[in-house]
Amino acid sequence: MLKCYSDAACDTMEHNMDLHKALILGIESSCDDTAASVLEVNPKGSKIKSSIVYNQFNLHKEYGGVVPEIAARAHAELIDVVVEKSLKTAKVAMTDINAIGVTAGPGLIGGVLSGLMFAKGLSVSTNKPLIGVNHLAGHALTPRLTNKVAFPYLVLLVSGGHCQFLIVHNYNEYERLGGTIDDAPGEAFDKAARLLGLQQPGGPAIEEAAKKGDSNRFDLPRPLLNREDCNFSFSGLKTALMRKQAGLMDKQGGLFKKDVSDLSASFQQAMHDVIIEKSIRAIDLYSKFTNENQTFAIAGGVAANEKIRYSLQKVCKTKKIDFLAPPLELCTDNAAIIAYAAAERFLHGAYDDTTISARPRWPLDNKKPAILGSGKKGSKA
Ligand code: KG4
Ligand code: ZN
């Protein structure tokens, strides 16, 4: 039995929550996407009534990475428009909303502040509960938004800003098995693409170029593979690629199309091998916690890579555990996942108030020492 949340008037009464539904407004602004979403949660599941994402890619592309000040200003300028559009698309008014969930970190602090300050103002002016969401929890809980996956499950976040294995024990308890000590994998794909003269975002461009390439032509390292843990390092791989590219430039004065394809294929193969091997280790660790209804889920832009996705699927089949890859629009940054993480807290009555602070770093697992990786999209908390 939980407190009824369908009507502010029954705040003091106890109701069976199963009788009700709630509408959560989600707001996301931690990196380069300004996003808002209206999510309906009810006992049967969740329904995304709207999910609006404004990407800032064009604002940053000439700088080769996200410029925090530009990002923060763009979020501040757009956030009210995006929220309004999400309400309009969902055909609801602010009065219908039961709670506001907003990313309170980790991320680029200016961007997080833009969203959080807006949400605080909205919460005070409309008298709706405020829930400050850990952005990483949004990603980690996505399998429950899409598939009602049971706890505990294993999730691998692989994007331009994140890289970690987490066992999700419940909505509020996460155990990090490993993560990157430097770049995130998407960041490595992006840097590699830039080096090879391919377009951004680099992951899809490398994947495309690799299709015609020979992955055995260049011998690139598989960083940290000889270490028994689930940690990653991608910056040395990028440097190794740079050396191969520079060698060809010295010898030939430039790169032929075949060179770009072969370098892309060799780079993708190295990324793939490390991610697959570390995933096998993470699954083995996870299997010590539970052998019932086991699920391994991936999230983040790099999860779109067909080669990596296919191999992870095969690994899970061999290990006899369920494999889940949420649709891409929910793997990449959006506000529906923030609304869902807020909904899980809302159902447990875990609200915040306006004293909540924006946090540039916010590890989901605070029992383990922080991984100090940091890159173009901010800290890897
Ligand atoms: O989750 P996401 O959309 O955004 C953030 O990181 O915030 O991830 C974007 C990252 C980019 O670095 C992009 O290069 C990478 O995901 N990515 C891929 C692929 N599609 C996107 N990496 C490898 N293969 C892909 N097919
Ligand atoms: Zn993210």
Side-chain angles (χ1 to χ4, degrees):
M1 298 286 260
L2 284 161
K3 243 179 211 170
C4 169
Y5 52 81
S6 68
D7 176 357
C10 51
D11 209 34
T12 52
M13 296 158 67
E14 294 277 278
H15 285 260
N16 186 334
M17 191 197 67
D18 284 355
L19 297 175
H20 301 294
K21 67 173 187 186
L23 281 175
I24 311 288
L25 171 67
I27 298 175
E28 156 63 29
S29 62
S30 64
C31 187
D32 57 352
D33 293 293
T34 314
S37 167
V38 175
L39 180 80
E40 181 184 308
V41 281
N42 63 53
K44 287 196 188 123
S46 311
K47 187 171 170 208
I48 299 169
K49 296 184 80 79
S50 67
S51 179
I52 312 293
V53 182
Y54 274 56
N55 186 267
Q56 302 176 353
F57 183 70
N58 285 334
L59 295 180
H60 304 285
K61 69 176 175 201
E62 66 182 286
Y63 303 103
V66 178
V67 183
E69 290 77 12
I70 296 178
R73 198 172 332 125
H75 286 307
E77 280 167 9
L78 263 183
I79 203 114
D80 55 337
V81 178
V82 174
V83 167
E84 237 178 271
K85 194 165 174 193
S86 73
L87 293 168
K88 205 168 160 197
T89 308
K91 296 192 174 67
V92 299
M94 240 353 258
T95 45
D96 301 318
I97 298 292
N98 297 94
I100 302 164
V102 59
T103 299
L108 300 172
I109 194 68
V112 176
L113 273 168
S114 298
L116 186 59
M117 298 315 274
F118 177 84
K120 283 184 184 183
L122 196 60
S123 161
V124 170
S125 61
T126 58
N127 204 21
K128 304 286 178 188
L130 178 72
I131 297 167
V133 172
N134 183 316
H135 177 89
L136 300 171
H139 283 301
L141 292 169
T142 307
R144 287 174 57 77
L145 163 62
T146 56
N147 292 62
K148 282 186 141 187
V149 171
F151 297 122
Y153 57 90
L154 176 66
V155 69
L156 169 62
L157 306 184
V158 269
S159 73
H162 322 299
C163 179
Q164 48 190 291
F165 288 108
L166 292 162
I167 296 179
V168 185
H169 289 289
N170 64 53
Y171 80 98
N172 205 23
E173 196 189 338
Y174 304 84
E175 183 168 350
R176 195 185 63 226
L177 300 181
T180 183
I181 60 167
D182 42 53
D183 290 354
E187 196 172 356
F189 270 111
D190 293 345
K191 286 177 179 168
R194 212 166 292 127
L195 195 69
L196 300 178
L198 298 171
Q199 64 186 38
Q200 296 292 312
I206 296 257
E207 183 170 28
E208 189 53 37
K211 282 184 185 152
K212 296 185 199 94
D214 173 6
S215 59
N216 292 316
R217 179 166 159 205
F218 297 99
D219 185 21
L220 294 173
R222 271 59 173 162
L224 302 191
L225 213 54
N226 54 355
R227 274 193 7 200
E228 281 300 310
D229 58 22
C230 297
N231 286 339
F232 297 98
S233 166
F234 295 111
S235 76
L237 181 52
K238 172 200 65 196
T239 309
L241 182 77
M242 197 154 65
R243 291 220 177 90
K244 301 285 181 199
Q245 183 254 17
L248 287 173
M249 296 293 278
D250 280 352
K251 209 164 104 194
Q252 310 170 164
L255 296 181
F256 293 106
K257 219 172 166 189
K258 174 87 178 97
D259 298 327
V260 173
S261 296
D262 291 348
L263 283 166
S264 296
S266 304
F267 180 80
Q268 180 178 250
Q269 189 67 45
M271 295 291 289
H272 164 277
D273 292 354
V274 177
I275 291 173
I276 302 309
E277 179 57 34
K278 297 281 175 168
S279 297
I280 292 170
R281 289 180 201 171
I283 290 169
D284 289 342
L285 282 175
Y286 162 62
S287 296
K288 290 183 184 156
F289 286 93
T290 177
N291 44 24
E292 272 172 46
N293 302 319
Q294 292 176 304
T295 302
F296 176 49
I298 48 171
V302 180
N305 187 284
E306 275 177 32
K307 190 177 172 68
I308 294 172
R309 211 176 165 109
Y310 177 73
S311 295
L312 287 177
Q313 211 161 2
K314 252 176 45 185
V315 166
C316 288
K317 206 168 168 201
T318 312
K319 299 255 177 204
K320 296 190 171 55
I321 79 173
D322 288 340
F323 175 71
L324 184 66
L328 203 60
E329 67 273 18
L330 293 177
C331 280
T332 55
D333 285 353
N334 67 88
I337 61 171
I338 302 305
Y340 182 76
E344 292 247 13
R345 295 238 334 250
F346 185 64
L347 301 183
H348 290 84
Y351 308 155
D352 292 300
D353 59 35
T354 51
T355 60
I356 183 174
S357 305
R359 298 176 64 173
R361 282 187 182 270
W362 188 359
L364 274 180
D365 178 352
N366 45 26
K367 290 190 197 109
K368 297 240 169 80
I371 302 181
L372 292 175
S374 178
K376 77 175 167 112
K377 291 197 169 182
S379 61
K380 305 298 183 302

